DNA sequence: ATCGACGTTTGGATCGATGCAAATTATGTA
DNA sequence: TACATAATTTGCATCGATCCAAACGTCGAT
């Protein structure tokens, strides 16, 4: 393969001049420039190889987004919430003209150790250990939805407050009998938690889901309700059968708290299948505001978890440099048509 | 910044040995290895810098996907069809453990010239000129939805056949009065083409959309219908007002041929707003099979444009090496509930 | 004690380009 | 023509690591 040096030799000039022909053409006299360009053409040389340039100035002009551990590229692209996050990162990339690299990291941090990027965003992290590999790269990075301590930048949403708000919204509408769709820690068959069974935070999936449950717990407690008395199901996010199981277990519930839009919509659909009107007989809420939430029938009341904003801020932190930052975004209640006053006949007070 | 050489010096060994400690640890005697590891620790050296390694062996372990020209990262991620395409590329990336890089190329091919990748996939290309910059990189690449001649790999869908099939499907259901929602070549206000107005292929947006129109034209011709007699609107893909304008213009149509799922759904919704039942009074079809098509009410009859498959094949071509390939994928009619027999009262024959 | 075989370690070559200060050449003026 | 000044061009140093063939050392066997 011909390189800059070959061209320079062929044109009878130095490497530097040849380099200038490609990078600062106005610096080279037209005559000489043409000689170099001719030589390049004849040798089939098409401008400096990015590899060499990279080595020299060390800028990749790219940012890595690492999906949650165990996820591949496909898992990331299929997940609508992660898509939203990527969108936020992408906005910043477009602004500064950087590329966005999806770097899955299935085996032994290989991805993080070798990715050709200027910085990282670590999608949902669950343990400090997962952050260590990133520190070793000594590149700027930010973690999402996790508190890694004061020395590492992070962007989080106050998930607990978000869930507190939406649960309170239902309580204010008069609801007292609830059901909860939460997540499993790891893939598996759905698990039912009947009313009256004491349960700990682990009855929700990842740390972030556990915060959601805590938000629900607090709001209920403020209304004098004990979370242990609320029927709950733990299922995989894509296990849309969970809705059926929960409604079987909690036929008297007037409001269902779910932890995602897809589960929320699944509950709406299951309710309709049973002839129960939403929100007339049953109110349903989700979490996060992906486009589907608006399009469901009725449109789903949910919490805007600021996911895209989270991506934006994370990217700004990484590209911006500076000391570690810790941003906590406040979620917003998005009131739509899937929630309404508790039905009078079932109202308990 | 400390580099391998510094560690080697500090440990009193050669670069090569130090390199082996990190890359082939079993080749170095434990005693020496520990000495090197200790030196590395003390100097705060955390393994070989990917930049250097890259220069040596020239593999980036990444593939670039370039969105259609003028699109940024965000435009790509927002477009559900492009998402599907990325998903296909992502599958191959996951299989071989490569990273996926989104490389928008707004200004002067800068992206294509400098992207740090082993190969490219050029998302929808419209002119040979756009391909030249890629050729200059001398990296494997494939173009999508465009025929670049025999020396360049390409993956296309037989869009025309797909549209021919779906139009024929409607004709077989007895439909004779149509309306068409097509696209504009470049963003702007919607343009109406009343029946009877002669029109050329440019009445659809990009080359691929023009093929769609050709497919419709052919199918209609086989039924003795002239495309010039079919009311048509050209609009931006996201201009959901087009449905309203078309139904105003073609109140007597019993079937609407659209060129995307979103426009198809917009027509369904507009029809419902007018109290016309789908498919009872009006049949509607879309193009491509994104998840929304299945979720609409009624689920949209459309054409599976093999978009994800296209991404897979493109990625395989790029990673696979070998001589140029030219794949043409056959689309499939996806019959759902938005199409039905033409209403008797309006049947013309 | 010497030789050979085997397993480690090393030096040198290679990958490709860019920034900067110094050197050279061109230009203009006295 | 000589000299000062400006415009170009050059050489050197730098970026960081890996591969390969050759050199080296160690050990056991004779």
């Amino acid at each position: 393969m011909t390189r800059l040096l070959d061209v320079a030799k062929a044109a009878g000039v130095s490497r530097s001049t040849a380099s200038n022909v490609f990078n600062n053409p106005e610096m080279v006299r037209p005559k000489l420039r043409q000689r170099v360009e001719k030589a390049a053409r004849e040798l089939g040389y098409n401008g400096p190889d990015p590899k060499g340039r990279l080595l020299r100035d060390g800028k990749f002009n790219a940012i890595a987004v690492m999906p949650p551990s165990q996820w591949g590229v496909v898992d990331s692209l299929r997940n609508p919430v992660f898509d939203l996050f990527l969108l936020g990162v992408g906005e910043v990339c477009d602004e500064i003209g950087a590329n966005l690299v999806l770097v899955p990291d299935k085996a032994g941090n290989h991805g993080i150790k070798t990715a050709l990027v200027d910085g990282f965003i670590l999608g949902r992290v669950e343990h400090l250990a997962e952050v260590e590999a990133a520190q070793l790269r000594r590149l700027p990075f930010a973690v999402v939805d996790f508190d890694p301590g004061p020395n590492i930048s992070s962007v989080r949403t106050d998930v607990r407050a978000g869930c507190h708000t939406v649960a309170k919204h239902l309580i204010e509408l008069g609801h007292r009998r609830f059901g909860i769709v939460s997540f499993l820690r790891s893939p598996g068959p759905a698990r039912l938690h009947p009313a009256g069974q004491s349960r700990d935070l682990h009855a929700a999936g990842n740390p972030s889901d556990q915060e959601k449950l805590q938000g629900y717990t607090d709001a209920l407690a403020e209304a004098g309700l004990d979370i242990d008395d609320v029927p709950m199901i733990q299922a995989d996010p894509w296990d849309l059968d969970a809705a059926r199981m929960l409604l079987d277990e909690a036929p008297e519930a007037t409001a269902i708290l779910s932890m995602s839009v897809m589960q929320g919509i699944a509950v709406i659909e299951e309710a309709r299948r049973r002839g129960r009107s939403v929100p007339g007989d049953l109110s349903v809420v989700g979490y996060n505001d992906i486009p589907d939430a608006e399009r469901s029938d009725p449109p789903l009341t949910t919490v805007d978890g600021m996911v895209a904003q989270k991506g934006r801020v994370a990217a700004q932190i990484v590209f911006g440099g500076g000391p570690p930052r810790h941003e906590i975004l406040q979620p917003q209640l998005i009131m739509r048509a899937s929630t309404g006053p508790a039905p009078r006949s079932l109202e308990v007070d």
Side-chain angles (χ1 to χ4, degrees), chain A residues 36 41 46 53 148 228 231 251 280 283 308 322:
Chain A
V36 174
R41 233 174 297 125
N46 299 298
R53 171 178 293 151
D228 292 348
S283 286

Side-chain angles (χ1 to χ4, degrees), chain A residues 101-319:
Chain A
V101 193
L102 277 170
V103 182
D105 203 26
K106 301 209 157 192
N109 299 121
H110 181 261
I112 227 171
K113 281 192 219 152
T114 64
L116 302 165
V117 295
D118 303 315
F120 296 96
I121 296 177
L122 303 191
R124 192 155 22 66
V125 160
E126 297 192 10
H127 308 287
L128 254 184
E130 300 179 46
V131 167
E132 274 165 23
Q135 284 185 283
L136 294 182
R137 272 298 292 273
R138 296 172 184 266
L139 289 177
F141 72 100
V143 306
V144 167
D145 287 340
F146 179 77
D147 178 6
N151 297 319
I152 297 170
S153 289
S154 65
V155 193
R156 288 174 286 155
T157 313
D158 191 342
V159 174
R160 186 166 154 174
C163 283
H164 182 277
T165 305
V166 71
K168 198 170 161 203
H169 161 64
L170 287 168
I171 287 165
E172 285 168 354
L173 285 168
H175 295 275
R176 290 298 180 276
R177 296 175 181 278
F178 292 87
I180 295 177
V181 185
S182 100
F183 294 124
L184 288 164
R185 187 102 184 90
S186 49
R191 236 168 72 198
L192 210 50
H193 299 251
Q197 188 195 68
S198 159
R199 55 182 73 104
D200 60 12
L201 276 183
H202 296 290
N206 61 45
S208 175
D209 298 326
Q210 292 166 14
E211 280 189 63
K212 291 179 194 167
L213 188 56
Q214 188 62 54
Y216 291 155
T217 304
D218 296 347
L220 294 179
E222 286 164 18
L225 298 170
D226 186 342
I227 190 87
D228 292 348
D229 295 332
V230 178
M232 165 156 63
I233 188 152
Q234 283 184 274
D236 292 326
W238 56 86
D239 177 359
L240 299 183
D241 210 37
R244 193 182 50 69
M245 296 175 70
L246 180 67
L247 291 189
D248 280 345
E249 180 67 22
E252 76 292 353
T254 66
I256 303 295
L257 299 157
S258 85
M259 292 184 177
S260 75
V261 166
M262 295 325 275
Q263 286 293 11
I265 292 177
V267 172
I268 290 178
E269 286 175 353
E270 178 63 24
R272 174 166 319 132
R273 239 171 267 132
R274 295 170 182 230
R276 299 185 64 184
S277 90
V278 176
D281 303 325
L282 186 71
S283 286
V284 182
V285 302
Y287 192 88
N288 276 330
D289 189 31
I290 63 174
D292 299 87
E294 193 170 3
R295 283 193 234 133
S296 77
D297 178 24
L300 186 71
T301 292
T302 189
V303 175
D304 179 352
M306 302 289 178
V307 176
Q309 175 69 2
K310 215 156 32 177
R312 257 191 306 270
V313 173
Q316 278 159 356
I317 288 177
V318 171
F319 283 122

Side-chain angles (χ1 to χ4, degrees), chain A residues 16-27:
Chain A
S16 311
T17 301
S19 173
N20 282 331
V21 168
F22 292 99
N23 296 297
N24 309 81
E26 75 290 351
M27 238 186 203

